[in-house]
PDB file of all heavy atoms in Angstrom:
ATOM      1  N   GLU A   1       0.820  -1.208   0.000  1.00  0.00           N
ATOM      2  CA  GLU A   1       0.000   0.000   0.000  1.00  0.00           C
ATOM      3  C   GLU A   1       0.856   1.261   0.000  1.00  0.00           C
ATOM      4  O   GLU A   1       0.582   2.216  -0.736  1.00  0.00           O
ATOM      5  CB  GLU A   1      -0.938   0.007   1.218  1.00  0.00           C
ATOM      6  CG  GLU A   1      -1.937  -1.141   1.251  1.00  0.00           C
ATOM      7  CD  GLU A   1      -1.442  -2.309   2.087  1.00  0.00           C
ATOM      8  OE1 GLU A   1      -0.219  -2.578   2.072  1.00  0.00           O
ATOM      9  OE2 GLU A   1      -2.285  -2.960   2.740  1.00  0.00           O
ATOM     10  N   LEU A   2       1.914   1.270   0.820  1.00  0.00           N
ATOM     11  CA  LEU A   2       2.746   2.466   0.928  1.00  0.00           C
ATOM     12  C   LEU A   2       3.553   2.719  -0.341  1.00  0.00           C
ATOM     13  O   LEU A   2       3.745   3.869  -0.744  1.00  0.00           O
ATOM     14  CB  LEU A   2       3.674   2.343   2.138  1.00  0.00           C
ATOM     15  CG  LEU A   2       2.980   2.418   3.500  1.00  0.00           C
ATOM     16  CD1 LEU A   2       3.944   2.025   4.610  1.00  0.00           C
ATOM     17  CD2 LEU A   2       2.405   3.803   3.762  1.00  0.00           C
ATOM     18  N   SER A   3       3.999   1.650  -0.990  1.00  0.00           N
ATOM     19  CA  SER A   3       4.812   1.833  -2.191  1.00  0.00           C
ATOM     20  C   SER A   3       4.001   2.385  -3.354  1.00  0.00           C
ATOM     21  O   SER A   3       4.572   2.884  -4.334  1.00  0.00           O
ATOM     22  CB  SER A   3       5.478   0.514  -2.590  1.00  0.00           C
ATOM     23  OG  SER A   3       4.510  -0.460  -2.933  1.00  0.00           O
ATOM     24  N   ARG A   4       2.677   2.303  -3.248  1.00  0.00           N
ATOM     25  CA  ARG A   4       1.837   2.916  -4.277  1.00  0.00           C
ATOM     26  C   ARG A   4       1.676   4.421  -4.051  1.00  0.00           C
ATOM     27  O   ARG A   4       1.227   5.149  -4.951  1.00  0.00           O
ATOM     28  CB  ARG A   4       0.466   2.234  -4.313  1.00  0.00           C
ATOM     29  CG  ARG A   4       0.505   0.849  -4.944  1.00  0.00           C
ATOM     30  CD  ARG A   4      -0.878   0.305  -5.209  1.00  0.00           C
ATOM     31  NE  ARG A   4      -1.530  -0.166  -4.000  1.00  0.00           N
ATOM     32  CZ  ARG A   4      -1.420  -1.394  -3.518  1.00  0.00           C
ATOM     33  NH1 ARG A   4      -0.654  -2.278  -4.144  1.00  0.00           N
ATOM     34  NH2 ARG A   4      -2.054  -1.750  -2.428  1.00  0.00           N
ATOM     35  N   ILE A   5       2.049   4.890  -2.871  1.00  0.00           N
ATOM     36  CA  ILE A   5       1.980   6.322  -2.560  1.00  0.00           C
ATOM     37  C   ILE A   5       3.290   7.019  -2.910  1.00  0.00           C
ATOM     38  O   ILE A   5       3.311   8.112  -3.491  1.00  0.00           O
ATOM     39  CB  ILE A   5       1.648   6.531  -1.078  1.00  0.00           C
ATOM     40  CG1 ILE A   5       0.293   5.909  -0.736  1.00  0.00           C
ATOM     41  CG2 ILE A   5       1.662   8.017  -0.712  1.00  0.00           C
ATOM     42  CD1 ILE A   5      -0.029   5.912   0.748  1.00  0.00           C
ATOM     43  N   ALA A   6       4.416   6.376  -2.549  1.00  0.00           N
ATOM     44  CA  ALA A   6       5.739   6.976  -2.754  1.00  0.00           C
ATOM     45  C   ALA A   6       6.782   5.867  -2.717  1.00  0.00           C
ATOM     46  O   ALA A   6       6.516   4.761  -2.228  1.00  0.00           O
ATOM     47  CB  ALA A   6       6.026   8.014  -1.664  1.00  0.00           C
ATOM     48  N   PRO A   7       7.996   6.117  -3.218  1.00  0.00           N
ATOM     49  CA  PRO A   7       9.058   5.117  -3.108  1.00  0.00           C
ATOM     50  C   PRO A   7       9.229   4.671  -1.653  1.00  0.00           C
ATOM     51  O   PRO A   7       9.322   5.507  -0.747  1.00  0.00           O
ATOM     52  CB  PRO A   7      10.297   5.862  -3.614  1.00  0.00           C
ATOM     53  CG  PRO A   7       9.751   6.898  -4.536  1.00  0.00           C
ATOM     54  CD  PRO A   7       8.447   7.334  -3.921  1.00  0.00           C
ATOM     55  N   THR A   8       9.228   3.358  -1.451  1.00  0.00           N
ATOM     56  CA  THR A   8       9.259   2.785  -0.104  1.00  0.00           C
ATOM     57  C   THR A   8      10.351   1.735  -0.027  1.00  0.00           C
ATOM     58  O   THR A   8      10.512   0.934  -0.947  1.00  0.00           O
ATOM     59  CB  THR A   8       7.887   2.148   0.235  1.00  0.00           C
ATOM     60  OG1 THR A   8       6.871   3.148   0.144  1.00  0.00           O
ATOM     61  CG2 THR A   8       7.882   1.560   1.636  1.00  0.00           C
ATOM     62  N   ILE A   9      11.100   1.737   1.077  1.00  0.00           N
ATOM     63  CA  ILE A   9      12.118   0.707   1.303  1.00  0.00           C
ATOM     64  C   ILE A   9      11.835   0.010   2.622  1.00  0.00           C
ATOM     65  O   ILE A   9      11.423   0.630   3.604  1.00  0.00           O
ATOM     66  CB  ILE A   9      13.546   1.284   1.281  1.00  0.00           C
ATOM     67  CG1 ILE A   9      13.745   2.353   2.357  1.00  0.00           C
ATOM     68  CG2 ILE A   9      13.873   1.833  -0.094  1.00  0.00           C
ATOM     69  CD1 ILE A   9      15.186   2.843   2.475  1.00  0.00           C
ATOM     70  N   ASP A  10      12.036  -1.297   2.636  1.00  0.00           N
ATOM     71  CA  ASP A  10      11.803  -2.129   3.817  1.00  0.00           C
ATOM     72  C   ASP A  10      13.153  -2.536   4.404  1.00  0.00           C
ATOM     73  O   ASP A  10      13.890  -3.318   3.806  1.00  0.00           O
ATOM     74  CB  ASP A  10      10.993  -3.364   3.422  1.00  0.00           C
ATOM     75  CG  ASP A  10      10.748  -4.310   4.594  1.00  0.00           C
ATOM     76  OD1 ASP A  10      11.125  -3.967   5.736  1.00  0.00           O
ATOM     77  OD2 ASP A  10      10.179  -5.402   4.357  1.00  0.00           O
ATOM     78  N   LEU A  11      13.456  -2.020   5.588  1.00  0.00           N
ATOM     79  CA  LEU A  11      14.745  -2.298   6.232  1.00  0.00           C
ATOM     80  C   LEU A  11      14.626  -3.350   7.331  1.00  0.00           C
ATOM     81  O   LEU A  11      15.381  -3.349   8.302  1.00  0.00           O
ATOM     82  CB  LEU A  11      15.335  -1.000   6.794  1.00  0.00           C
ATOM     83  CG  LEU A  11      15.629   0.087   5.759  1.00  0.00           C
ATOM     84  CD1 LEU A  11      16.374   1.255   6.406  1.00  0.00           C
ATOM     85  CD2 LEU A  11      16.429  -0.463   4.579  1.00  0.00           C
ATOM     86  N   THR A  12      13.694  -4.277   7.160  1.00  0.00           N
ATOM     87  CA  THR A  12      13.586  -5.400   8.094  1.00  0.00           C
ATOM     88  C   THR A  12      14.888  -6.188   8.117  1.00  0.00           C
ATOM     89  O   THR A  12      15.476  -6.473   7.071  1.00  0.00           O
ATOM     90  CB  THR A  12      12.437  -6.331   7.677  1.00  0.00           C
ATOM     91  OG1 THR A  12      11.207  -5.608   7.715  1.00  0.00           O
ATOM     92  CG2 THR A  12      12.344  -7.537   8.608  1.00  0.00           C
ATOM     93  N   VAL A  13      15.338  -6.530   9.318  1.00  0.00           N
ATOM     94  CA  VAL A  13      16.568  -7.317   9.497  1.00  0.00           C
ATOM     95  C   VAL A  13      16.196  -8.710   9.984  1.00  0.00           C
ATOM     96  O   VAL A  13      15.410  -8.858  10.924  1.00  0.00           O
ATOM     97  CB  VAL A  13      17.505  -6.638  10.519  1.00  0.00           C
ATOM     98  CG1 VAL A  13      18.697  -7.534  10.837  1.00  0.00           C
ATOM     99  CG2 VAL A  13      17.987  -5.293   9.990  1.00  0.00           C
ATOM    100  N   ALA A  14      16.742  -9.730   9.358  1.00  0.00           N
ATOM    101  CA  ALA A  14      16.496 -11.106   9.792  1.00  0.00           C
ATOM    102  C   ALA A  14      17.123 -11.330  11.167  1.00  0.00           C
ATOM    103  O   ALA A  14      18.263 -10.906  11.402  1.00  0.00           O
ATOM    104  CB  ALA A  14      17.084 -12.093   8.787  1.00  0.00           C
ATOM    105  N   PRO A  15      16.398 -11.980  12.094  1.00  0.00           N
ATOM    106  CA  PRO A  15      16.948 -12.197  13.439  1.00  0.00           C
ATOM    107  C   PRO A  15      18.296 -12.904  13.457  1.00  0.00           C
ATOM    108  O   PRO A  15      19.152 -12.604  14.290  1.00  0.00           O
ATOM    109  CB  PRO A  15      15.864 -13.047  14.126  1.00  0.00           C
ATOM    110  CG  PRO A  15      14.607 -12.719  13.393  1.00  0.00           C
ATOM    111  CD  PRO A  15      15.022 -12.491  11.971  1.00  0.00           C
ATOM    112  N   ASP A  16      18.496 -13.841  12.530  1.00  0.00           N
ATOM    113  CA  ASP A  16      19.762 -14.593  12.528  1.00  0.00           C
ATOM    114  C   ASP A  16      20.877 -13.861  11.778  1.00  0.00           C
ATOM    115  O   ASP A  16      21.959 -14.403  11.585  1.00  0.00           O
ATOM    116  CB  ASP A  16      19.553 -15.994  11.940  1.00  0.00           C
ATOM    117  CG  ASP A  16      19.027 -15.975  10.504  1.00  0.00           C
ATOM    118  OD1 ASP A  16      18.771 -14.870   9.984  1.00  0.00           O
ATOM    119  OD2 ASP A  16      18.865 -17.059   9.921  1.00  0.00           O
ATOM    120  N   ASP A  17      20.606 -12.603  11.371  1.00  0.00           N
ATOM    121  CA  ASP A  17      21.618 -11.784  10.688  1.00  0.00           C
ATOM    122  C   ASP A  17      21.579 -10.368  11.265  1.00  0.00           C
ATOM    123  O   ASP A  17      21.814  -9.395  10.568  1.00  0.00           O
ATOM    124  CB  ASP A  17      21.322 -11.762   9.184  1.00  0.00           C
ATOM    125  CG  ASP A  17      22.449 -11.138   8.370  1.00  0.00           C
ATOM    126  OD1 ASP A  17      23.623 -11.300   8.748  1.00  0.00           O
ATOM    127  OD2 ASP A  17      22.143 -10.478   7.363  1.00  0.00           O
ATOM    128  N   PHE A  18      21.309 -10.290  12.559  1.00  0.00           N
ATOM    129  CA  PHE A  18      20.973  -9.009  13.177  1.00  0.00           C
ATOM    130  C   PHE A  18      22.102  -7.988  13.079  1.00  0.00           C
ATOM    131  O   PHE A  18      21.900  -6.872  12.598  1.00  0.00           O
ATOM    132  CB  PHE A  18      20.585  -9.232  14.640  1.00  0.00           C
ATOM    133  CG  PHE A  18      20.257  -7.963  15.370  1.00  0.00           C
ATOM    134  CD1 PHE A  18      19.025  -7.350  15.207  1.00  0.00           C
ATOM    135  CD2 PHE A  18      21.173  -7.377  16.226  1.00  0.00           C
ATOM    136  CE1 PHE A  18      18.716  -6.175  15.874  1.00  0.00           C
ATOM    137  CE2 PHE A  18      20.879  -6.206  16.896  1.00  0.00           C
ATOM    138  CZ  PHE A  18      19.643  -5.608  16.720  1.00  0.00           C
ATOM    139  N   LEU A  19      23.276  -8.329  13.543  1.00  0.00           N
ATOM    140  CA  LEU A  19      24.366  -7.358  13.593  1.00  0.00           C
ATOM    141  C   LEU A  19      24.793  -6.916  12.195  1.00  0.00           C
ATOM    142  O   LEU A  19      24.893  -5.714  11.915  1.00  0.00           O
ATOM    143  CB  LEU A  19      25.561  -7.933  14.357  1.00  0.00           C
ATOM    144  CG  LEU A  19      25.340  -8.154  15.855  1.00  0.00           C
ATOM    145  CD1 LEU A  19      26.561  -8.853  16.469  1.00  0.00           C
ATOM    146  CD2 LEU A  19      25.079  -6.836  16.562  1.00  0.00           C
ATOM    147  N   ASP A  20      25.033  -7.869  11.307  1.00  0.00           N
ATOM    148  CA  ASP A  20      25.448  -7.508   9.950  1.00  0.00           C
ATOM    149  C   ASP A  20      24.328  -6.773   9.220  1.00  0.00           C
ATOM    150  O   ASP A  20      24.581  -5.823   8.472  1.00  0.00           O
ATOM    151  CB  ASP A  20      25.859  -8.749   9.168  1.00  0.00           C
ATOM    152  CG  ASP A  20      27.205  -9.303   9.611  1.00  0.00           C
ATOM    153  OD1 ASP A  20      27.964  -8.554  10.260  1.00  0.00           O
ATOM    154  OD2 ASP A  20      27.499 -10.473   9.310  1.00  0.00           O
ATOM    155  N   GLY A  21      23.085  -7.203   9.440  1.00  0.00           N
ATOM    156  CA  GLY A  21      21.957  -6.543   8.808  1.00  0.00           C
ATOM    157  C   GLY A  21      21.799  -5.105   9.270  1.00  0.00           C
ATOM    158  O   GLY A  21      21.520  -4.204   8.460  1.00  0.00           O
ATOM    159  N   ALA A  22      21.980  -4.873  10.566  1.00  0.00           N
ATOM    160  CA  ALA A  22      21.887  -3.512  11.089  1.00  0.00           C
ATOM    161  C   ALA A  22      22.969  -2.618  10.504  1.00  0.00           C
ATOM    162  O   ALA A  22      22.718  -1.457  10.151  1.00  0.00           O
ATOM    163  CB  ALA A  22      21.988  -3.546  12.619  1.00  0.00           C
ATOM    164  N   LYS A  23      24.166  -3.160  10.366  1.00  0.00           N
ATOM    165  CA  LYS A  23      25.260  -2.360   9.787  1.00  0.00           C
ATOM    166  C   LYS A  23      25.026  -2.101   8.298  1.00  0.00           C
ATOM    167  O   LYS A  23      25.307  -0.997   7.804  1.00  0.00           O
ATOM    168  CB  LYS A  23      26.601  -3.072  10.037  1.00  0.00           C
ATOM    169  CG  LYS A  23      27.031  -3.028  11.496  1.00  0.00           C
ATOM    170  CD  LYS A  23      28.434  -3.568  11.702  1.00  0.00           C
ATOM    171  CE  LYS A  23      28.483  -5.069  11.624  1.00  0.00           C
ATOM    172  NZ  LYS A  23      29.843  -5.588  11.963  1.00  0.00           N
ATOM    173  N   ARG A  24      24.498  -3.080   7.583  1.00  0.00           N
ATOM    174  CA  ARG A  24      24.198  -2.866   6.162  1.00  0.00           C
ATOM    175  C   ARG A  24      23.137  -1.776   5.997  1.00  0.00           C
ATOM    176  O   ARG A  24      23.236  -0.930   5.098  1.00  0.00           O
ATOM    177  CB  ARG A  24      23.710  -4.169   5.512  1.00  0.00           C
ATOM    178  CG  ARG A  24      24.810  -5.152   5.180  1.00  0.00           C
ATOM    179  CD  ARG A  24      24.319  -6.211   4.210  1.00  0.00           C
ATOM    180  NE  ARG A  24      23.161  -6.946   4.722  1.00  0.00           N
ATOM    181  CZ  ARG A  24      23.250  -8.027   5.482  1.00  0.00           C
ATOM    182  NH1 ARG A  24      24.438  -8.513   5.820  1.00  0.00           N
ATOM    183  NH2 ARG A  24      22.174  -8.644   5.904  1.00  0.00           N
ATOM    184  N   ASN A  25      22.127  -1.796   6.841  1.00  0.00           N
ATOM    185  CA  ASN A  25      21.090  -0.765   6.764  1.00  0.00           C
ATOM    186  C   ASN A  25      21.659   0.623   7.035  1.00  0.00           C
ATOM    187  O   ASN A  25      21.284   1.603   6.381  1.00  0.00           O
ATOM    188  CB  ASN A  25      19.970  -1.072   7.750  1.00  0.00           C
ATOM    189  CG  ASN A  25      19.017  -2.131   7.246  1.00  0.00           C
ATOM    190  OD1 ASN A  25      19.043  -2.506   6.075  1.00  0.00           O
ATOM    191  ND2 ASN A  25      18.167  -2.637   8.131  1.00  0.00           N
ATOM    192  N   ALA A  26      22.555   0.699   8.005  1.00  0.00           N
ATOM    193  CA  ALA A  26      23.169   1.994   8.318  1.00  0.00           C
ATOM    194  C   ALA A  26      23.980   2.504   7.138  1.00  0.00           C
ATOM    195  O   ALA A  26      23.913   3.691   6.774  1.00  0.00           O
ATOM    196  CB  ALA A  26      24.056   1.866   9.558  1.00  0.00           C
ATOM    197  N   ALA A  27      24.748   1.616   6.514  1.00  0.00           N
ATOM    198  CA  ALA A  27      25.537   2.017   5.345  1.00  0.00           C
ATOM    199  C   ALA A  27      24.626   2.426   4.192  1.00  0.00           C
ATOM    200  O   ALA A  27      24.907   3.400   3.471  1.00  0.00           O
ATOM    201  CB  ALA A  27      26.454   0.871   4.913  1.00  0.00           C
ATOM    202  N   LEU A  28      23.514   1.701   4.015  1.00  0.00           N
ATOM    203  CA  LEU A  28      22.571   2.028   2.953  1.00  0.00           C
ATOM    204  C   LEU A  28      21.959   3.409   3.166  1.00  0.00           C
ATOM    205  O   LEU A  28      21.876   4.225   2.227  1.00  0.00           O
ATOM    206  CB  LEU A  28      21.471   0.970   2.905  1.00  0.00           C
ATOM    207  CG  LEU A  28      20.330   1.217   1.911  1.00  0.00           C
ATOM    208  CD1 LEU A  28      20.866   1.262   0.493  1.00  0.00           C
ATOM    209  CD2 LEU A  28      19.265   0.143   2.050  1.00  0.00           C
ATOM    210  N   LEU A  29      21.539   3.704   4.389  1.00  0.00           N
ATOM    211  CA  LEU A  29      20.974   5.021   4.676  1.00  0.00           C
ATOM    212  C   LEU A  29      22.026   6.112   4.476  1.00  0.00           C
ATOM    213  O   LEU A  29      21.713   7.213   4.013  1.00  0.00           O
ATOM    214  CB  LEU A  29      20.407   5.054   6.090  1.00  0.00           C
ATOM    215  CG  LEU A  29      19.141   4.208   6.297  1.00  0.00           C
ATOM    216  CD1 LEU A  29      18.779   4.120   7.769  1.00  0.00           C
ATOM    217  CD2 LEU A  29      17.968   4.762   5.489  1.00  0.00           C
ATOM    218  N   GLY A  30      23.268   5.807   4.818  1.00  0.00           N
ATOM    219  CA  GLY A  30      24.343   6.758   4.553  1.00  0.00           C
ATOM    220  C   GLY A  30      24.477   7.052   3.064  1.00  0.00           C
ATOM    221  O   GLY A  30      24.639   8.206   2.656  1.00  0.00           O
ATOM    222  N   ASP A  31      24.378   6.007   2.237  1.00  0.00           N
ATOM    223  CA  ASP A  31      24.469   6.191   0.784  1.00  0.00           C
ATOM    224  C   ASP A  31      23.307   7.028   0.260  1.00  0.00           C
ATOM    225  O   ASP A  31      23.495   7.917  -0.579  1.00  0.00           O
ATOM    226  CB  ASP A  31      24.465   4.833   0.074  1.00  0.00           C
ATOM    227  CG  ASP A  31      25.751   4.052   0.289  1.00  0.00           C
ATOM    228  OD1 ASP A  31      26.750   4.666   0.710  1.00  0.00           O
ATOM    229  OD2 ASP A  31      25.749   2.829   0.034  1.00  0.00           O
ATOM    230  N   ILE A  32      22.109   6.742   0.741  1.00  0.00           N
ATOM    231  CA  ILE A  32      20.920   7.436   0.236  1.00  0.00           C
ATOM    232  C   ILE A  32      20.993   8.928   0.520  1.00  0.00           C
ATOM    233  O   ILE A  32      20.632   9.760  -0.321  1.00  0.00           O
ATOM    234  CB  ILE A  32      19.646   6.828   0.855  1.00  0.00           C
ATOM    235  CG1 ILE A  32      19.411   5.411   0.324  1.00  0.00           C
ATOM    236  CG2 ILE A  32      18.420   7.708   0.570  1.00  0.00           C
ATOM    237  CD1 ILE A  32      18.285   4.674   1.013  1.00  0.00           C
ATOM    238  N   PHE A  33      21.489   9.289   1.703  1.00  0.00           N
ATOM    239  CA  PHE A  33      21.425  10.685   2.138  1.00  0.00           C
ATOM    240  C   PHE A  33      22.772  11.416   2.077  1.00  0.00           C
ATOM    241  O   PHE A  33      22.916  12.501   2.642  1.00  0.00           O
ATOM    242  CB  PHE A  33      20.839  10.759   3.546  1.00  0.00           C
ATOM    243  CG  PHE A  33      19.395  10.353   3.600  1.00  0.00           C
ATOM    244  CD1 PHE A  33      19.032   9.084   4.009  1.00  0.00           C
ATOM    245  CD2 PHE A  33      18.400  11.229   3.198  1.00  0.00           C
ATOM    246  CE1 PHE A  33      17.695   8.695   4.037  1.00  0.00           C
ATOM    247  CE2 PHE A  33      17.068  10.862   3.220  1.00  0.00           C
ATOM    248  CZ  PHE A  33      16.714   9.584   3.635  1.00  0.00           C
ATOM    249  N   GLY A  34      23.749  10.825   1.396  1.00  0.00           N
ATOM    250  CA  GLY A  34      25.041  11.492   1.279  1.00  0.00           C
ATOM    251  C   GLY A  34      25.787  11.570   2.593  1.00  0.00           C
ATOM    252  O   GLY A  34      26.578  12.496   2.822  1.00  0.00           O
ATOM    253  N   LYS A  35      25.559  10.589   3.470  1.00  0.00           N
ATOM    254  CA  LYS A  35      26.203  10.564   4.784  1.00  0.00           C
ATOM    255  C   LYS A  35      27.124   9.343   4.891  1.00  0.00           C
ATOM    256  O   LYS A  35      27.242   8.732   5.953  1.00  0.00           O
ATOM    257  CB  LYS A  35      25.135  10.503   5.883  1.00  0.00           C
ATOM    258  CG  LYS A  35      24.166  11.678   5.896  1.00  0.00           C
ATOM    259  CD  LYS A  35      24.792  12.900   6.537  1.00  0.00           C
ATOM    260  CE  LYS A  35      23.772  14.013   6.718  1.00  0.00           C
ATOM    261  NZ  LYS A  35      24.351  15.181   7.436  1.00  0.00           N
ATOM    262  N   GLU A  36      27.772   9.018   3.775  1.00  0.00           N
ATOM    263  CA  GLU A  36      28.598   7.811   3.746  1.00  0.00           C
ATOM    264  C   GLU A  36      29.707   7.840   4.793  1.00  0.00           C
ATOM    265  O   GLU A  36      29.951   6.829   5.481  1.00  0.00           O
ATOM    266  CB  GLU A  36      29.217   7.625   2.359  1.00  0.00           C
ATOM    267  CG  GLU A  36      28.209   7.389   1.246  1.00  0.00           C
ATOM    268  CD  GLU A  36      27.760   8.665   0.569  1.00  0.00           C
ATOM    269  OE1 GLU A  36      27.974   9.764   1.147  1.00  0.00           O
ATOM    270  OE2 GLU A  36      27.207   8.570  -0.546  1.00  0.00           O
ATOM    271  N   GLU A  37      30.392   8.951   4.915  1.00  0.00           N
ATOM    272  CA  GLU A  37      31.509   9.035   5.856  1.00  0.00           C
ATOM    273  C   GLU A  37      31.032   8.926   7.298  1.00  0.00           C
ATOM    274  O   GLU A  37      31.657   8.241   8.120  1.00  0.00           O
ATOM    275  CB  GLU A  37      32.276  10.338   5.649  1.00  0.00           C
ATOM    276  CG  GLU A  37      33.047  10.391   4.336  1.00  0.00           C
ATOM    277  CD  GLU A  37      33.894  11.643   4.235  1.00  0.00           C
ATOM    278  OE1 GLU A  37      33.952  12.418   5.216  1.00  0.00           O
ATOM    279  OE2 GLU A  37      34.507  11.847   3.165  1.00  0.00           O
ATOM    280  N   GLU A  38      29.932   9.611   7.613  1.00  0.00           N
ATOM    281  CA  GLU A  38      29.393   9.548   8.979  1.00  0.00           C
ATOM    282  C   GLU A  38      28.972   8.121   9.327  1.00  0.00           C
ATOM    283  O   GLU A  38      29.259   7.619  10.413  1.00  0.00           O
ATOM    284  CB  GLU A  38      28.200  10.488   9.136  1.00  0.00           C
ATOM    285  CG  GLU A  38      28.542  11.960   9.036  1.00  0.00           C
ATOM    286  CD  GLU A  38      28.391  12.493   7.616  1.00  0.00           C
ATOM    287  OE1 GLU A  38      28.591  11.702   6.662  1.00  0.00           O
ATOM    288  OE2 GLU A  38      28.098  13.693   7.482  1.00  0.00           O
ATOM    289  N   ALA A  39      28.296   7.452   8.380  1.00  0.00           N
ATOM    290  CA  ALA A  39      27.857   6.084   8.622  1.00  0.00           C
ATOM    291  C   ALA A  39      29.050   5.149   8.807  1.00  0.00           C
ATOM    292  O   ALA A  39      29.074   4.313   9.721  1.00  0.00           O
ATOM    293  CB  ALA A  39      26.968   5.599   7.481  1.00  0.00           C
TER     294      ALA A  39
END
C-alpha cells in the first residue's frame, strides 16, 4: 500500500543476521542521504 503512494524501502533485518543486517542498513541510509563518511 505504501509503495503505491511513494518510493518505499523495507529495512527489516532477519533475526539470525541481526548485527550484519543492522550495519548494512546503516551504510545504505548513509548512501541514500550522502552521509557515507558519517555512517
Side-chain angles (χ1 to χ4, degrees):
E1 298 95 324
L2 290 169
S3 63
R4 286 191 284 272
I5 299 172
T8 301
I9 60 174
D10 178 5
L11 299 187
T12 298
V13 173
D16 59 357
D17 190 34
F18 178 79
L19 292 175
D20 286 342
K23 289 188 284 186
R24 282 196 302 272
N25 281 348
L28 175 62
L29 290 171
D31 289 343
I32 291 172
F33 293 99
K35 300 281 188 176
E36 296 91 343
E37 291 185 5
E38 293 93 330

